[in-house]
């Protein structure tokens, strides 16, 4: 009998010899991950106690909470929410990581991205733990189940295998590759499926690039995405992994609902134009379009390779006067490393505004745009109004495009700025 | 427990694929928590008279991958407040689907519904036959069945009551 990674991981956590796509199971998540947000964690805390009479979460060692939205607080009620979260963590014996970075990244740094583990969150971007061979699902309200019971009900998803092949051209980053997959396969092509991502391009890709791609799984319609562990993953997990598990690999003749091969040899940097992540376009279609703001950060991008490529573009140059460039490293660990590499001073000297890690730039809570403004962004989403006024626009792109566009004040192909370097930017 | 009666008019047809439901209230309004305030901004950019023209029990029609984007709750919360009883779409984005089913809000996946429905047609979901009936045309279209958990969640009126009932049953069985 042959199984996908998802079937193997879910069979273990369901405590049964085998499961198949379509089976309805009760699974015990290895990790329950959440950030505090009104209507989510505060409701889970309250309902667990008041509706279910559960005063202590079962197996609190599985839980971890992050304070990464509304950081720093800008209103008393925001700080009140954080206060509730801290108090709950203390009462329950659950760690609350605050101001350490965006939880989806920090959970990897802390070892919750154990290869072979099953993790749940209410937010789907947790799928990025799939970069480490962790099956990590955004389960929405079903996460409440884990607050009152060891196990949660779910249907075993089918799997779509995507093999990425070819030669990645200079200036093309993981971000471009993901949005290219959306373009060629379609934004609903993997609905309710798990994507198993593989192929020589993924093998050669950095851990960070893999996090970028896996974290966006929802925009292919997927429930989550994961990559079989390799030497890089094992190295990263060594000394970090929270629990001892054998890594899980797919069987050679596992059943896939679809197998798709995408060659990226001809891919050039893209932009994702408004109004949604379904709208991947060639950058050349929009080159020269005036932009007023740049955002380099988020759980999708904002890691070292993004900061390095931005620094490479901006080194010894100045951004266009009046342009607002916000650089927000995805975690404080990344910020610290970037500082020791000299990247922060390069970016500051070029005119970038650097912030400690926070989710808040991604959804316009701060650095809010007004009518008629336009941003280049490595954030997650480009729905009109996401970063401010409904009459502002967001073009999603890779970090090098953000940096090059900051220099010229318009959407700019970064490759001329990178031409002195060899091979792939990242 | 039984499934809710879904028998109402198509109050709006979202013809777009990959529709982001935040646009129903406008992204700038998704942080509004007061339900009356939220209802007041619902659909205003599509039809300023929407709130006045919708009746209790009316339905929404959607295209492929309805709910694409980030599946925030305010839009459907506002729709429920206005009386909307459910959404019938070609297909749904998974995050949106899971989130709204957990609110006890029926989402019916029914390929063909968009092209065959006109605004204000009366539709009926026939749970027994597994079809959506258009009363203007007489046409029936099969819809995709829910998983047993999804069905039980809708029957219970939401994820919290569903889970309470299930855990009570499990405890009783173990006793």
């Amino acid at each position: 009998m042959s199984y996908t990674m998802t079937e193997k991981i879910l069979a273990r956590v369901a405590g049964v010899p085998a499961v198949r796509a379509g089976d309805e199971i009760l699974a015990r998540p290895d990790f329950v991950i959440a950030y505090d947000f009104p209507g989510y964690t505060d409701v889970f805390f309250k309902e667990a106690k008041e509706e279910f009479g559960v005063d202590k979460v079962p197996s609190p060692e599985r839980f971890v909470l992050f304070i990464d939205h509304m950081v720093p607080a800008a209103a008393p009620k925001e700080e009140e929410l954080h206060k509730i979260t801290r108090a709950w963590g203390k009462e329950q014996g659950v760690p609350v990581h605050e101001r350490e970075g965006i939880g989806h990244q920090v959970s990897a740094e802390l070892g919750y991205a154990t290869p072979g583990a099953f993790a749940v969150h209410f937010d789907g971007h947790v799928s990025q733990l799939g970069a480490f061979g962790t099956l990590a699902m955004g389960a929405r309200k079903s996460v409440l189940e884990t607050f009152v019971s060891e196990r949660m009900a779910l249907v075993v998803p089918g799997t779509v295998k995507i093999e990425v092949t070819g030669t990645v051209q200079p200036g093309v980053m993981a971000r471009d590759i993901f949005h290219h997959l959306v373009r060629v396969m379609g934004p609903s092509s993997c609905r309710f499926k798990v994507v198993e991502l593989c192929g020589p391009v993924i093998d050669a890709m950095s851990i960070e690039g893999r996090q970028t791609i896996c974290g966006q799984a929802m925009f292919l319609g997927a429930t989550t995405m994961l990559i079989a562990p390799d030497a890089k993953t094992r190295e990263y997990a060594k000394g970090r992994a929270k629990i001892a598990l054998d890594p899980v690999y797919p069987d050679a003749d596992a059943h896939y609902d679809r197998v798709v091969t995408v060659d990226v040899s001809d891919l050039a940097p893209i932009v994702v134009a408004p109004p949604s992540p379904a709208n991947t376009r060639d950058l050349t279609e929009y080159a020269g379009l005036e932009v007023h703001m740049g955002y380099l950060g988020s759980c999708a991008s904002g890691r070292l390779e993004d900061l390095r490529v931005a620094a490479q573009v901006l080194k010894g140059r100045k951004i266009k006067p009046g342009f607002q460039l916000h650089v927000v490293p995805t975690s404080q660990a990344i910020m610290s490393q970037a500082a020791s590499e000299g990247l922060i001073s390069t970016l500051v000297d070029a005119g970038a505004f650097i912030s400690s890690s926070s989710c808040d730039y991604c959804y316009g809570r701060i650095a809010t745009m007004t009518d008629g403004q336009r941003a280049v962004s490595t954030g997650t989403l480009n729905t009109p109004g996401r970063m401010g006024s409904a009459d502002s626009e967001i073009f999603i792109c890779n970090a090098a495009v953000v940096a090059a566009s900051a220099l010229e004040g318009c959407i700019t192909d970064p490759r001329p700025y990178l031409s002195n370097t060899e091979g792939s930017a990242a | 427990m039984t499934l809710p009666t879904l028998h109402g008019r198509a109050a709006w047809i979202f013809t777009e694929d990959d529709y982001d439901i935040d646009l129903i209230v406008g992204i700038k309004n998704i942080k509004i928590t007061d339900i009356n305030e939220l209802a007041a901004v619902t659909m205003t950019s599509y039809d300023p008279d929407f709130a006045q023209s919708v009746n209790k029990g009316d339905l929404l029609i959607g295209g492929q991958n309805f709910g694409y984007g980030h599946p925030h709750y305010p839009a459907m919360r506002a729709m429920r407040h206005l009386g909307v009883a459910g959404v019938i779409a070609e297909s749904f984005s998974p995050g949106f689907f899971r989130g709204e089913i957990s609110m006890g809000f029926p989402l019916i996946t029914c390929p063909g519904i968009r092209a065959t429905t006109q605004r204000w047609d009366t539709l009926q979901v026939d749970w027994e036959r597994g079809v959506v009936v258009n009363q203007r045309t007489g046409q029936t279209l099969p819809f995709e069945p829910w998983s047993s958990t999804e069905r039980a969640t809708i029957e219970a009126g939401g994820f919290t009551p569903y889970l309470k009932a299930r855990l009570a049953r499990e405890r009783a069985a173990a006793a």
Side-chain angles (χ1 to χ4, degrees):
Chain A
M1 299 298 277
S2 304
Y3 299 95
T4 62
M5 288 174 74
T6 299
E7 288 166 338
K8 289 184 182 183
I9 293 170
L10 290 179
R12 177 181 61 78
V13 293
V16 297
V19 299
R20 285 293 185 200
D23 290 354
E24 295 193 33
I25 59 168
L26 280 175
R28 181 184 185 278
D30 297 303
F31 303 117
V32 180
I33 306 171
Y35 53 77
D36 74 345
F37 205 79
Y40 294 86
T41 39
D42 54 341
V43 171
F44 299 158
F45 301 161
K46 192 168 181 286
E47 288 196 342
K49 281 191 183 163
E50 294 177 7
E51 299 280 339
F52 294 88
V54 175
D55 288 329
K56 287 273 183 186
V57 291
S59 309
E61 70 281 1
R62 299 184 299 160
F63 285 69
V64 61
L65 291 176
F66 294 96
I67 295 180
D68 55 10
H69 288 68
M70 297 165 285
V71 171
K77 69 173 182 187
E78 294 178 346
E79 186 56 22
E80 179 62 25
L81 180 89
H82 298 331
K83 200 172 147 190
I84 290 168
T85 304
R86 291 180 203 117
W88 185 88
K90 201 169 174 188
E91 169 196 291
Q92 301 283 327
V94 167
V96 178
H97 295 275
E98 178 168 359
R99 295 167 176 243
E100 292 176 33
I102 298 178
H104 302 309
Q105 165 67 25
V106 181
S107 15
E109 294 170 1
L110 293 172
Y112 292 97
T114 303
F118 174 49
V120 293
H121 193 306
F122 61 80
D123 183 312
H125 289 301
V126 77
S127 59
Q128 66 189 259
L129 303 190
F132 305 89
T134 306
L135 183 70
M137 289 184 184
R140 311 289 294 150
K141 178 94 190 212
S142 293
V143 169
L144 172 65
E145 194 164 345
T146 63
F147 281 68
V148 300
S149 167
E150 287 279 338
R151 298 186 299 165
M152 64 183 284
L154 72 137
V155 177
V156 179
T159 298
V160 174
K161 179 168 160 176
I162 305 178
E163 187 185 19
V164 185
T165 63
T167 307
V168 180
Q169 301 302 318
V172 172
M173 301 183 70
R175 202 59 204 260
D176 301 291
I177 292 172
F178 174 76
H179 294 294
H180 182 65
L181 295 178
V182 177
R183 171 163 59 183
V184 298
M185 295 180 63
S188 61
S189 55
C190 303
R191 274 191 331 109
F192 290 92
K193 308 294 182 195
V194 173
V195 172
E196 227 178 66
L197 190 66
C198 63
V201 168
I202 305 303
D203 294 340
M205 187 177 279
S206 66
I207 290 276
E208 294 189 335
R210 297 175 186 181
Q211 287 172 283
T212 293
I213 295 183
C214 289
Q216 305 295 299
M218 66 170 77
F219 300 131
L220 278 167
T223 290
T224 190
M225 188 183 290
L226 79 178
I227 297 168
D230 64 1
K232 282 180 221 176
T233 325
R234 288 189 293 271
E235 179 61 28
Y236 187 96
K238 201 158 61 181
R240 275 199 178 95
K242 284 276 175 197
I243 51 175
L245 284 178
D246 290 331
V248 172
Y249 305 92
D251 289 327
D253 47 356
H255 171 78
Y256 296 101
D257 292 339
R258 252 176 104 197
V259 177
V260 180
T261 301
V262 178
D263 188 304
V264 295
S265 301
D266 294 334
L267 178 62
I270 55 82
V271 294
V272 187
S276 88
N279 197 20
T280 308
R281 310 291 278 270
D282 291 337
L283 182 147
T284 50
E285 267 186 69
Y286 291 94
L289 184 70
E290 187 182 9
V291 284
H292 315 94
M293 190 183 279
Y295 167 45
L296 198 178
S298 86
C299 60
S301 305
R303 298 187 177 82
L304 281 165
E305 65 186 22
D306 302 309
L307 302 174
R308 285 180 191 136
V309 78
Q312 192 185 338
V313 169
L314 294 172
K315 193 170 181 64
R317 299 187 171 100
K318 291 279 182 197
I319 66 171
K320 186 167 175 153
F323 189 92
Q324 304 176 37
L325 175 60
H326 298 115
V327 177
V328 191
T330 306
S331 73
Q332 295 298 76
I334 291 169
M335 171 79 107
S336 175
Q337 176 65 26
S340 61
E341 289 183 22
L343 304 175
I344 300 296
S345 54
T346 300
L347 296 169
V348 169
D349 291 346
F353 186 93
I354 316 265
S355 277
S356 285
S357 192
S358 170
C359 301
D360 296 342
Y361 287 79
C362 191
Y363 63 104
R365 182 177 162 279
I366 42 180
T368 316
M369 286 195 286
T370 189
D371 293 357
Q373 290 188 317
R374 197 177 285 130
V376 279
S377 165
T378 63
T380 56
L381 198 55
N382 60 343
T383 318
R386 167 89 175 160
M387 288 171 67
S389 158
D391 294 318
S392 62
E393 292 184 309
I394 304 164
F395 286 77
I396 292 171
C397 54
N398 77 32
V401 177
V402 171
S405 303
L407 291 172
E408 302 202 6
C410 60
I411 292 180
T412 300
D413 189 332
R415 288 175 293 184
Y417 292 105
L418 298 166
S419 56
N420 295 334
T421 57
E422 291 174 13
S424 155
Chain B
M1 283 186 277
T2 54
L3 290 165
T5 300
L6 287 185
H7 188 177
R9 303 171 307 160
W12 190 262
I13 299 168
F14 294 94
T15 54
E16 309 90 327
D17 285 337
D18 311 308
Y19 180 73
D20 187 322
I21 46 93
D22 280 348
L23 300 174
I24 286 173
V25 293
I27 284 208
K28 67 174 188 292
N29 297 315
I30 63 171
K31 292 180 193 83
I32 296 175
T33 52
D34 181 82
I35 189 64
N36 292 310
E37 213 182 310
L38 202 54
V41 297
T42 299
M43 294 294 282
T44 47
S45 58
Y46 294 86
D47 174 3
D49 298 324
F50 183 83
Q52 283 72 47
S53 51
V54 69
N55 287 346
K56 190 170 163 53
D58 280 352
L59 301 162
L60 302 175
I61 305 301
Q64 297 284 357
N65 208 19
F66 187 82
Y68 186 68
H70 283 178
H72 304 122
Y73 291 116
M76 293 301 129
R77 226 185 120 222
M79 283 294 186
R80 285 193 287 277
H81 183 74
L82 293 174
V84 171
V87 184
I88 308 176
E90 297 291 321
S91 65
F92 293 96
S93 184
F96 174 75
F97 186 82
R98 293 196 179 102
E100 294 303 331
I101 291 282
S102 76
M103 295 294 127
F105 190 56
L107 304 183
I108 311 285
T109 306
C110 181
I113 194 72
R114 173 175 50 186
T116 55
T117 308
Q118 292 176 9
R119 195 178 182 199
W120 304 124
D121 280 358
T122 297
L123 303 171
Q124 182 171 15
V125 176
D126 185 329
W127 298 113
E128 211 155 286
R129 291 160 65 208
V131 294
V132 177
V133 184
N134 183 321
Q135 297 197 327
R136 178 180 61 86
T137 62
Q139 189 176 32
T140 62
L141 286 172
F143 62 84
E144 292 177 9
W146 286 320
S147 73
S148 63
T149 301
E150 288 155 4
R151 188 183 167 103
T153 301
I154 296 297
E155 283 178 341
F159 187 73
T160 303
Y162 151 77
L163 187 58
K164 274 167 91 168
R166 199 193 85 206
L167 294 177
R169 240 184 2 258
E170 286 173 11
R171 272 195 301 273

